[in-house]
């Protein structure tokens, strides 16, 4: 195997591991949670890699991984990482790694253009980069699963449901149908309304759709979007290469 890059994205519900060679995705693995032992076995399966970047939405056990991953250059996505764009977020220390990686990939996909990333995962995030390569910020809202859980958790009698794409009436005639209608119709109209508001300010806006619920929104939205299911992984690889190149200068 030729040397490539390994990137690890530890999200809220899944850990994704990807191997890149010459910027192309070669291998991809999903893991539940962020189990260290499982990740350790995966690293052993890639003995000949050039560099690795680990990103986590939570606390990363950097010292542990640094002891295990000794066969390549190891980087962690944190505040010391150089960015290929201007970060104008007023609280950069609180900006999620997944959003940073998404912006790096968006900049690569649409250089010199306004671009909006809509990530439909555990949370639904909007992130905007203008044509000057400046990240301006966005918004954070509950994702689909979180909305179902909220209705169950903060009420006395509403059941906990999961997304049912085939049972989404506008007018529900049972409690179950009403929940599906409220959550799914509501979230689609919310996302569509937000995108239209962005389009009023940025008429030539490119819209990237990603995240775990991307396929559902891709079918429901009446707005042209660019689907990028592995946007964060590609962004991590871009950030890894960018930092390697600049460190070697």
């Amino acid at each position: 195997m030729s040397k490539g890059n390994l990137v690890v994205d530890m999200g809220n519900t899944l850990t994704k591991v990807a191997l890149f060679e010459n910027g192309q995705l070669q291998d991809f693995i999903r893991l539940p949670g962020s189990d260290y032992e499982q990740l350790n076995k995966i690293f052993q399966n890639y003995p000949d890699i050039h560099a690795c970047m680990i990103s986590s939405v939570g606390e990363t056990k950097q010292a542990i991984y640094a002891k295990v991953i000794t066969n390549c250059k190891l980087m962690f996505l944190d505040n010391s990482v150089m960015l290929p764009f201007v970060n104008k977020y007023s609280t950069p220390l609180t900006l999620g790694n997944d959003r940073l990686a998404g912006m790096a990939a968006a900049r690569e996909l649409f250089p010199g253009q306004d671009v909006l990333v809509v990530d439909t995962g555990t949370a639904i995030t909007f992130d905007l980069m203008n044509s000057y390569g400046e990240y301006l910020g966005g918004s954070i809202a509950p994702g689909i699963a979180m909305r179902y859980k909220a209705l169950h958790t903060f009420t006395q009698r509403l059941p906990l449901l999961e997304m049912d794409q085939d049972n989404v009436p506008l007018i529900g005639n049972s409690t179950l149908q009403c929940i599906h209608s409220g959550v799914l119709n509501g979230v689609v109209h919310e996302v569509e309304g937000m995108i239209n508001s962005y389009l009023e300010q940025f008429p030539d806006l490119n819209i990237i759709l990603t995240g775990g619920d991307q396929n559902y929104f891709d079918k429901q939205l009446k707005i042209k979007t660019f689907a990028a299911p592995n946007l964060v992984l590609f962004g991590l690889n871009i950030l890894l290469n960018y930092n390697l190149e600049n460190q070697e200068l």
Side-chain angles (χ1 to χ4, degrees):
M1 178 189 299
S2 60
K3 288 192 174 184
N5 290 340
L6 199 67
V7 297
V8 181
D9 174 27
M10 298 180 182
N12 289 298
T13 56
L14 288 174
T15 291
K16 300 175 183 178
V17 183
L19 176 69
F20 286 88
E21 292 182 5
N22 299 318
Q24 301 298 314
L25 181 63
Q26 299 296 328
D27 202 1
F28 175 67
I29 301 172
R30 283 190 181 92
L31 298 172
S34 56
D35 185 88
Y36 165 72
E37 293 300 329
Q38 286 182 301
L39 279 176
N40 189 24
K41 292 178 182 177
I42 288 176
F43 285 120
Q44 293 174 6
N45 292 333
Y46 297 99
D48 189 25
I49 57 175
H50 174 60
C52 174
M53 175 171 278
I54 297 178
S55 168
S56 175
V57 295
E59 182 179 353
T60 307
K61 301 174 182 177
Q62 295 192 10
I64 296 177
Y65 290 112
K67 290 181 180 179
V68 174
I69 307 170
T70 58
N71 61 318
C72 69
K73 296 178 181 179
L74 176 61
M75 293 185 189
F76 296 90
L77 182 50
D78 55 28
N79 297 311
S80 66
V81 168
M82 292 177 286
L83 303 174
F85 56 87
V86 179
N87 187 359
K88 304 198 77 172
Y89 207 60
S90 64
T91 56
L93 296 180
T94 67
L95 184 59
N97 288 343
D98 52 342
R99 298 172 73 187
L100 279 174
M103 285 294 95
R107 176 71 167 160
E108 181 91 356
L109 287 169
F110 296 101
Q113 301 178 59
D114 298 325
V115 56
L116 177 70
V117 172
V118 183
D119 192 329
T120 59
T122 303
I124 296 174
T125 58
F126 286 72
D127 290 291
L128 179 72
M129 179 174 291
N130 64 22
S131 59
Y132 302 103
E134 298 172 327
Y135 170 62
L136 303 181
S139 65
I140 305 173
I144 290 177
M146 195 182 298
R147 294 172 194 235
Y148 279 116
K149 290 178 182 177
L151 284 175
H152 173 67
T153 302
F154 298 108
T155 62
Q156 293 293 322
R157 300 179 63 183
L158 293 182
L160 176 60
L161 303 182
E162 294 183 353
M163 181 169 63
D164 183 357
Q165 300 185 31
D166 300 320
N167 187 27
V168 195
L170 176 62
I171 303 172
N173 65 358
S174 69
T175 297
L176 300 187
Q177 284 190 348
C178 284
I179 293 174
H180 287 309
S181 177
V183 170
L184 296 178
N185 289 324
V187 76
V188 168
H189 285 289
E190 176 185 322
V191 169
E192 202 161 63
M194 288 285 286
I195 292 175
N196 281 325
S197 294
Y198 276 98
L199 285 168
E200 290 178 2
Q201 295 189 43
F202 301 90
D204 297 323
L205 189 64
N206 298 282
I207 302 154
I208 298 176
L209 192 61
T210 190
D213 291 324
Q214 170 210 311
N215 288 336
Y216 178 71
F217 284 96
D218 194 33
K219 296 175 183 176
Q220 299 298 322
L221 295 176
K222 298 180 178 65
I223 299 171
K224 181 181 178 181
T225 61
F226 178 85
N230 295 312
L231 186 76
V232 171
L233 294 175
F234 277 93
L236 289 175
N237 188 55
I238 290 167
L239 289 173
L240 178 54
N241 285 328
Y242 184 77
N243 280 263
L244 289 172
E245 291 167 2
N246 282 275
Q247 286 179 0
E248 293 169 358
L249 293 178

